[in-house]
Amino acid sequence: MELGPPFTIQPWLVCNNCPTLGEFRIMRVAVAILGLLALGGCAAEAPLKEEPAFYLSMAHGGAKVDSAVAASMISGYRQNNGLGAVIVDPALMTLAESQSMAMASRNKLDHDVTAPLAKRLNASGYPATLAVENVSAGYHTLAEAFSGWRDSPPHKANMLKNGVTKLGIAASYAPNTKYKVFWTLILASSEAR
């Protein structure tokens, strides 16, 4: 008669000071929690990055276009096309804001919502020798408005108008309107004041 395989003894490791399986799991969880808390503390100390101004939404009350960023963006575009830069003009800023507010209050996208650009410039006393205007609505950010103007041949031609040196830009929010945000960009050159 044949017997099965020889009998062997499998030794167990014995440790009198080692944690039990349950204690080991608890220690692992505790270490994991401490690690997460330490990482959380590091994350809390890191400053939050601000969103670039050209991506800030104008679709809320009190939002203002960063005119310096707009001038930089449009100047860069003009310079890439062989034209001179433009600078922010406070009087044109006021005119652009008035136009955007008028369109928003009437829920109407229109260059002539109150008067044609030439008449508005003359009424304000602005000594324009050359002026063009882009209006648009529905874009929530400066980046969107700029892209819309750049992709539209007549608006692109205005942004690339030779001889303009100054700009005014504004966006007005009207929550109960079709478009929500109304934009105006005025580019001009003027006589010395």
Side-chain angles (χ1 to χ4, degrees):
M1 176 171 166
E2 208 171 289
L3 296 173
F7 180 79
T8 60
I9 298 177
Q10 298 280 333
W12 285 71
L13 292 176
V14 177
C15 177
N16 293 334
N17 296 328
C18 294
T20 65
L21 187 58
E23 291 171 333
F24 182 69
R25 286 184 181 150
I26 291 172
M27 285 176 31
R28 279 182 52 192
V29 169
V31 168
I33 290 172
L34 288 173
L36 288 174
L37 288 174
L39 288 175
C42 292
E45 293 172 13
L48 297 175
K49 291 185 178 181
E50 281 189 38
E51 192 164 19
F54 46 87
Y55 290 134
L56 293 177
S57 177
M58 298 293 116
H60 61 84
K64 291 279 187 193
V65 177
D66 187 324
S67 58
V69 169
S72 175
M73 180 183 283
I74 293 167
S75 290
Y77 181 60
R78 290 175 55 79
Q79 290 168 338
N80 287 342
N81 285 277
L83 298 166
V86 291
I87 60 169
V88 176
D89 183 290
L92 292 178
M93 290 295 295
T94 300
L95 287 166
E97 188 172 319
S98 294
Q99 174 67 9
S100 288
M101 288 173 53
M103 291 188 301
S105 68
R106 291 171 178 81
N107 191 20
K108 186 175 183 181
L109 177 61
D110 184 3
H111 287 278
D112 301 335
V113 71
T114 58
L117 177 60
K119 189 171 183 179
R120 286 182 275 131
L121 288 165
N122 287 335
S124 73
Y126 192 85
T129 55
L130 174 65
V132 292
E133 176 179 64
N134 285 351
V135 296
S136 62
Y139 299 116
H140 287 202
T141 67
L142 174 59
E144 291 172 356
F146 173 80
S147 292
W149 291 329
R150 186 192 60 214
D151 295 341
S152 162
H155 294 99
K156 176 181 178 177
N158 283 346
M159 288 197 302
L160 297 177
K161 186 74 171 176
N162 194 18
V164 297
T165 58
K166 299 176 182 179
L167 80 90
I169 188 167
S172 292
Y173 175 60
N176 298 320
T177 62
K178 177 180 178 180
Y179 298 110
K180 309 291 186 225
V181 182
F182 294 81
W183 291 85
T184 303
L185 168 66
I186 302 172
L187 297 158
S189 60
S190 63
E191 302 165 0
R193 292 187 192 201

